[in-house]
Amino acid sequence: MRTLDQWFDDYAVSHQNPVNKKIHYICVPAIFFSILGLLMCIPNAIISNTLNLNFPLIENWAAVILVLLLLFYIRLSVVMAMKIAVFAFLCLFANFYIGQYVNLLLFSVGVFAVAWIGQFYGHHIEGKKPSFINDLQFLLIGPAWVIQNLFATKKQ
């Protein structure tokens, strides 16, 4: 089992170009955000009827998937899992709020598409394939890598 630092080192190999890194700092959180928005659009009657909390912010499929996702991060680093949890809660809240004013499904699909176009453009600039081509787990490492790099005291 790789450590978080080993994952970051492997991920960083295809993320050296400063422009690609800046694109990732925007697009990776946007993709994470949009996926949560898409998950929030899945009908959730079974969840809300089971939990019966009358709290739609957490009674949805995005929150269920996040619990499972946080288990992956906890296995790597409790501190990183807490950072991801804070970011994820902010994303849930923002998606819930946005969904009150616009069609969240269409909005999320748009953000998702534009962010992936940005990602592939960044990798075109980098001249290297995205890391997830070799291992899908890198799709989960990307958000942690962005958080680590954006909020680290020493830039990598």
Side-chain angles (χ1 to χ4, degrees), residues 44-62:
N44 61 344
I46 191 167
I47 297 170
S48 57
N49 290 340
T50 302
L51 296 177
N52 203 22
L53 298 172
N54 197 25
F55 192 47
L57 189 61
I58 62 168
E59 290 178 320
N60 59 66
W61 288 106

Side-chain angles (χ1 to χ4, degrees), residues 136-155:
L136 289 177
Q137 291 180 85
F138 279 112
L139 291 171
L140 301 178
I141 297 302
W145 181 83
V146 168
I147 287 172
Q148 182 70 18
N149 280 281
L150 286 178
F151 299 105
T153 53
K154 180 180 118 181
K155 291 284 181 183

Side-chain angles (χ1 to χ4, degrees), residues 13-147:
V13 169
S14 60
H15 301 87
Q16 297 295 311
N17 183 289
V19 173
N20 186 32
K21 286 171 110 174
K22 288 177 185 171
I23 289 170
H24 274 64
Y25 295 157
I26 296 167
C27 292
V28 168
I31 291 168
F32 187 93
F33 175 81
S34 66
I35 290 172
L36 291 181
L38 291 168
L39 290 169
M40 289 177 81
C41 293
I42 299 172
N44 61 344
I46 191 167
I47 297 170
S48 57
N49 290 340
T50 302
L51 296 177
N52 203 22
L53 298 172
N54 197 25
F55 192 47
L57 189 61
I58 62 168
E59 290 178 320
N60 59 66
W61 288 106
V64 170
I65 297 299
L66 279 173
V67 169
L68 299 174
L69 183 64
L70 288 173
L71 293 174
F72 172 83
Y73 290 114
I74 288 169
R75 188 179 61 125
L76 294 173
S77 164
V78 172
V79 172
M80 181 54 68
M82 291 182 346
K83 292 175 183 179
I84 293 286
V86 169
F87 175 64
F89 182 78
L90 293 172
C91 289
L92 284 175
F93 183 79
N95 272 301
F96 180 77
Y97 183 77
I98 289 167
Q100 304 301 307
Y101 298 99
V102 300
N103 182 316
L104 184 60
L105 178 62
L106 294 177
F107 180 82
S108 296
V109 166
V111 170
F112 185 83
V114 169
W116 271 110
I117 290 168
Q119 289 283 89
F120 285 113
Y121 177 70
H123 280 287
H124 174 73
I125 291 169
E126 182 83 40
K128 294 184 181 165
K129 294 183 294 185
S131 300
F132 74 87
I133 298 293
N134 297 324
D135 188 339
L136 289 177
Q137 291 180 85
F138 279 112
L139 291 171
L140 301 178
I141 297 302
W145 181 83
V146 168
I147 287 172

